[in-house]
Amino acid sequence: EFLNESLQKPTRHFWIGLWVPAAGTGWTWVNGSRLDQDQFQVDLEERPGACGTIRGSSTIPDNCDLDSQWIYQKEATKL
C-alpha cells in the first residue's frame, strides 16, 4: 500500500536498478542481466550512464548522479 501511494506522487522518483552501463550495452539490471523487453516493456532512450526511474506511472531515463530512493528486491528476514 505504501509503495502504491508513493508511486502515485509525481514529485517522487525511484531508481529500480536498471541502467545503461556503456554505449551499446542496452538497458541492464544491477545484477548484470539484460532487460527482457517481453517481460518489462519500456520505451527508453539508451543513453550511456542513464538510470531507469519510476515517476508517477512512467518509467523514464534519469541522471544516475541524482539522489533517488530505491525500489529493490531483498531476501525475506525471519522474525
Side-chain angles (χ1 to χ4, degrees), residues 37-70:
Q37 290 275 353
D38 291 334
Q39 290 185 359
F40 190 74
Q41 295 180 8
V42 292
D43 186 21
L44 301 174
E45 175 188 351
E46 291 186 7
R47 185 173 34 120
C51 284
T53 60
I54 292 179
R55 280 193 191 164
S57 60
S58 301
T59 305
I60 61 170
D62 216 337
N63 185 336
C64 293
D65 293 335
L66 295 176
D67 287 331
S68 299
Q69 295 176 325
W70 291 34

Side-chain angles (χ1 to χ4, degrees), residues 11-53:
T11 57
R12 298 185 73 180
H13 52 277
F14 298 88
W15 184 53
I16 57 173
L18 192 60
W19 70 310
V20 180
T25 59
W27 286 98
T28 306
W29 295 106
V30 292
N31 69 0
S33 64
R34 295 290 309 268
L35 173 66
D36 183 348
Q37 290 275 353
D38 291 334
Q39 290 185 359
F40 190 74
Q41 295 180 8
V42 292
D43 186 21
L44 301 174
E45 175 188 351
E46 291 186 7
R47 185 173 34 120
C51 284
T53 60

